């Protein structure tokens, strides 16, 4: 709900004279996601993946990213603004699609086209906050043991992008929540020098912040089953340790 409110405020400040409702467009998108038989596990920031290292959109590079994800047993969805389906201007030049480029962008089932003036960042963020058809929950975890079948460990759906999101999109969520979302969902790309191979850099399994949680125990002596707080455990990330290790301090309950 907070995410939707921030998008609406963004519309009022930026697109006051445009007859287009960004909330309605995103609702159409999330409704479409909910009708799927299987959920997408990797949401690809199409412009970022295709532009990375180039001064124009490289559709073949985008295909390499999609092929890499499928080879690792992911179900990718590419988010792409509509202008990339045809000749378009970028950085002061006019770019045209070759027949090979057109074949890539028209590949069915792996592409969602964003209407003009809609912001693709909103869509790949919304996809990670939507319960898709075929999914038992809004998001789910792939444990490190799953690496045997090629998948990266971490939350699904993941967002594949090298966008560091340092601009105004941070205003979409409260800063701490935004950083937590970013650290747990975003997977980055590393390209080889000849750009024929890529590596996916997994998101963090656990948030890099101090966190505390209470253990709970059942009170079997009560007439009705109830729970009471027991020990409080604090989890501290340590710079010199592995990213998934924590220094833990368990505090007994206060009397």
């Amino acid at each position: 709900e907070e995410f939707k409110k921030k998008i609406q405020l963004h519309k009022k400040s930026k697109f006051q004279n445009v007859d287009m409702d960004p909330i309605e467009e995103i609702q159409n998108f999330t409704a479409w996601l909910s009708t799927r038989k299987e959920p997408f596990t990797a949401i690809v920031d199409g412009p970022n993946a295709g532009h990375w290292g180039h001064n124009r959109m490289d559709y073949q590079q985008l295909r390499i990213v999609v092929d890499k994800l499928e080879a690792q047993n992911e179900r990718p969805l590419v988010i792409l603004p509509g202008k990339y389906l045809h000749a378009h201007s970028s950085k002061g030049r006019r770019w045209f699609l070759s027949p090979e480029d057109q074949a890539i962008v028209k590949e069915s089932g792996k592409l969602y086209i964003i209407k003009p003036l809609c912001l693709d960042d909103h869509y790949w963020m919304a996809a990670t906050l939507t319960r898709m058809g075929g999914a038992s929950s809004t998001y789910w975890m792939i444990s490190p043991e799953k690496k045997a079948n090629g998948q990266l460990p971490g939350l699904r759906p993941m967002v594949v992008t090298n966008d560091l999101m340092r601009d105004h999109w941070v205003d979409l969520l409260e800063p701490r929540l935004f950083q937590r979302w970013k650290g747990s969902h975003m997977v980055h790309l590393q390209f080889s020098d000849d750009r024929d191979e890529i590596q996916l850099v997994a998101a963090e399994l656990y948030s890099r912040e101090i966190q505390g949680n209470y253990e709970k125990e059942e009170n079997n002596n009560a007439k009705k089953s109830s729970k009471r707080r027991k020990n409080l455990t604090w989890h501290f990330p340590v710079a010199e340790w592995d990213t998934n290790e924590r220094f833990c301090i368990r505090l007994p309950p206060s009397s």
Side-chain angles (χ1 to χ4, degrees):
E1 291 301 319
E2 180 184 356
F3 181 71
K4 291 180 180 179
K5 290 178 182 177
K6 292 294 181 69
I7 293 176
Q8 193 65 47
L9 289 173
H10 183 76
K11 178 205 173 185
K12 290 180 180 179
S13 63
K14 299 294 184 181
F15 304 125
Q16 296 181 10
N17 300 319
V18 177
D19 185 20
M20 183 270 295
D21 185 351
I23 292 293
E24 182 178 348
E25 293 299 327
I26 287 184
Q27 287 176 336
N28 292 338
F29 171 60
T30 56
W32 174 74
L33 290 176
S34 68
T35 63
R36 287 187 49 79
K37 294 181 179 180
E38 287 187 307
F40 293 108
T41 62
I43 312 301
V44 181
D45 178 1
N48 184 271
H51 272 291
W52 192 257
H54 302 276
N55 62 357
R56 60 157 294 176
M57 184 71 171
D58 187 331
Y59 296 90
Q60 184 59 41
Q61 180 168 285
L62 183 57
R63 166 166 268 173
I64 291 172
V65 172
V66 171
D67 290 346
K68 176 71 172 182
L69 289 165
E70 291 181 329
Q72 294 189 350
N73 297 297
E74 304 291 351
R75 291 185 292 275
L77 173 67
V78 178
I79 304 296
L80 198 67
K83 72 175 186 178
Y84 292 106
L85 294 181
H86 45 73
H88 59 276
S89 298
S90 178
K91 296 185 178 182
R93 296 184 62 182
R94 188 73 173 164
W95 302 103
F96 297 90
L97 277 68
S98 68
E100 293 79 10
D101 293 339
Q102 294 180 32
I104 292 173
V105 298
K106 291 180 180 179
E107 197 167 335
S108 62
K110 303 173 187 176
L111 189 66
Y112 192 89
I113 303 302
I114 307 302
K115 290 185 177 180
L117 298 180
C118 289
L119 302 170
D120 56 320
D121 308 53
H122 294 168
Y123 285 75
W124 42 263
M125 289 186 73
T128 66
L129 304 173
T130 300
R131 182 171 176 175
M132 301 187 199
S136 58
S137 61
T138 302
Y139 55 86
W140 61 98
M141 175 71 77
I142 300 294
S143 65
E145 291 75 18
K146 287 283 188 178
K147 294 179 70 174
N149 67 11
Q151 288 182 296
L152 292 176
L155 285 180
R156 296 297 187 279
M158 59 186 182
V159 173
V160 181
T161 181
N162 282 340
D163 188 343
L164 298 179
M165 300 192 77
R166 290 172 174 162
D167 53 17
H168 57 278
W169 311 130
V170 73
D171 295 332
L172 288 173
L173 291 173
E174 184 273 325
R176 185 175 181 180
L177 291 177
F178 176 80
Q179 291 301 327
R180 187 178 295 174
W181 172 87
K182 179 180 172 181
S184 59
H185 281 281
M186 291 182 69
V187 170
H188 297 300
L189 298 164
Q190 290 183 345
F191 294 91
S192 61
D193 292 339
D194 57 10
R195 317 200 74 77
D196 288 334
E197 296 182 5
I198 64 168
Q199 294 294 327
L200 301 175
V201 182
E204 298 173 347
L205 279 178
Y206 305 103
S207 177
R208 297 289 292 175
E209 59 184 304
I210 299 173
Q211 298 186 70
N213 67 282
Y214 285 100
E215 296 180 14
K216 294 181 179 179
E217 66 174 3
E218 296 290 341
N219 184 359
N220 296 321
N221 296 325
K223 291 183 179 180
K224 293 183 179 180
S225 178
S226 62
K227 293 182 179 180
R228 64 183 178 86
R229 287 179 174 176
K230 191 182 177 184
N231 296 323
L232 172 61
T233 303
W234 287 99
H235 307 264
F236 296 85
V238 180
E240 292 78 13
W241 291 11
D242 183 82
T243 56
N244 297 325
E245 294 180 332
R246 298 294 184 272
F247 177 69
C248 297
I249 299 177
R250 180 174 296 173
L251 303 177
S254 57
S255 57

